[in-house]
Amino acid sequence: DAGVIQSPRHEVTEMGQEVTLRCKPISGHNSLFWYRQTMMRGLELLIYFNNNVPIDDSGMPEDRFSAKMPNASFSTLKIQPSEPRDSAVYFCASTHGLQETQYFGPGTRLLVL
Amino acid sequence: SQQGEEDPQALSIQEGENATMNCSYKTSINNLQWYRQNSGRGLVHLILIRSNEREKHSGRLRVTLDTSKKSSSLLITASRAADTASYFCATDGETSGSRLTFGEGTQLTVNP
């Protein structure tokens, strides 16, 4: 199995631009999580889906952030418009059941100038 | 403060020594997990201990859980330079569903 796949691995953009991060979970996993990691705030859960349905988006910082999961094998996290404070590493993780081990992707390192 | 808090924040030891990291949490949990993160990489699951377990082993790893003190420890025995990484505890919380809350991590450096 290829594990959780994220793209792009690195993204540099200018303030105000739209950013789309992509994630392909492990086949057969039915829960997907988006996290953000910064030195200041550590690892924060942004949103998670179960069976493609958003369950908890209380961690999404503001309306500029949105996430979708149109099918079991694909999810996107979009930031529009992006701001310098959005610079962070964004991780996607998946699992095959509730309250079980999460498998993390390699992350997308985002820099907003 | 966060549900899971690791202690110490940073630990530097020599190869062959044991490394102990601690985690404290605030609310009741179903299980507690430890993850490892190498620099620039994603987190990798190490071990899960359930609330009704007190100790668990996996290779050179030993995890303990004390629910009365709301704390856990991760012991890495006979450390190697390759163990250098950040280690995070994560708790699920009885009412948080599959949502995990991660601590701030302990940065372990094993010097060859």
Side-chain angles (χ1 to χ4, degrees):
Chain A
D1 197 321
V4 175
I5 299 172
Q6 291 188 246
S7 65
R9 293 293 309 278
H10 302 273
E11 176 82 23
V12 180
T13 190
E14 292 185 345
M15 183 174 63
Q17 296 297 307
E18 177 180 296
V19 175
T20 300
L21 311 181
R22 298 173 177 80
C23 175
K24 177 179 169 56
I26 292 173
S27 178
H29 284 190
N30 62 349
S31 293
L32 183 142
F33 306 80
W34 282 102
Y35 292 91
R36 177 172 68 176
Q37 187 177 38
T38 62
M39 289 294 292
M40 292 296 294
R41 300 175 68 90
L43 194 64
E44 304 173 277
L45 176 66
L46 300 177
I47 185 171
Y48 80 90
F49 296 83
N50 184 244
N51 293 324
N52 311 338
V53 176
I55 302 301
D56 183 351
D57 65 354
S58 60
M60 295 286 263
E62 48 198 273
D63 292 345
R64 297 184 298 105
F65 286 68
S66 63
K68 294 182 180 180
M69 191 163 187
N71 57 62
S73 60
F74 184 66
S75 177
T76 59
L77 177 67
K78 186 174 293 187
I79 308 172
Q80 167 63 19
S82 58
E83 296 182 2
R85 60 193 168 119
D86 302 331
S87 298
V89 182
Y90 291 81
F91 289 103
C92 175
S94 69
T95 186
H96 59 73
L98 297 180
Q99 301 178 345
E100 293 292 337
T101 300
Q102 294 186 13
Y103 295 82
F104 282 74
T108 295
R109 189 172 296 273
L110 174 65
L111 177 61
V112 183
L113 303 173
Chain B
S1 55
Q2 293 192 36
Q3 167 76 329
E5 297 183 5
E6 287 88 348
D7 162 49
Q9 288 189 330
L11 180 62
S12 181
I13 60 175
Q14 294 300 122
E15 213 166 21
E17 294 180 340
N18 296 341
T20 299
M21 289 160 274
N22 303 298
C23 169
S24 61
Y25 57 92
K26 297 186 184 304
T27 63
S28 297
I29 61 172
N30 290 312
N31 63 61
L32 183 145
Q33 304 181 43
W34 284 90
Y35 287 78
R36 163 193 169 131
Q37 183 180 32
N38 286 69
S39 180
R41 309 287 288 274
L43 280 72
V44 175
H45 177 259
L46 293 176
I47 194 165
L48 180 153
I49 185 165
R50 302 198 184 279
S51 60
N52 62 353
E53 298 176 309
R54 292 296 168 258
E55 187 171 313
K56 203 163 184 178
H57 296 255
S58 176
R60 294 184 295 113
L61 305 180
R62 173 178 170 250
V63 170
T64 62
L65 179 64
D66 187 336
T67 52
S68 66
K69 295 181 180 178
K70 291 186 169 58
S71 67
S72 172
S73 68
L74 171 67
L75 169 67
I76 303 175
T77 61
S79 64
R80 305 166 182 168
D83 294 329
T84 295
S86 291
Y87 292 82
F88 296 86
C89 69
T91 53
D92 65 340
E94 281 186 337
T95 59
S96 62
S98 59
R99 180 191 183 104
L100 291 180
T101 301
F102 286 82
E104 296 176 354
T106 293
Q107 172 61 51
L108 172 66
T109 302
V110 182
N111 301 300

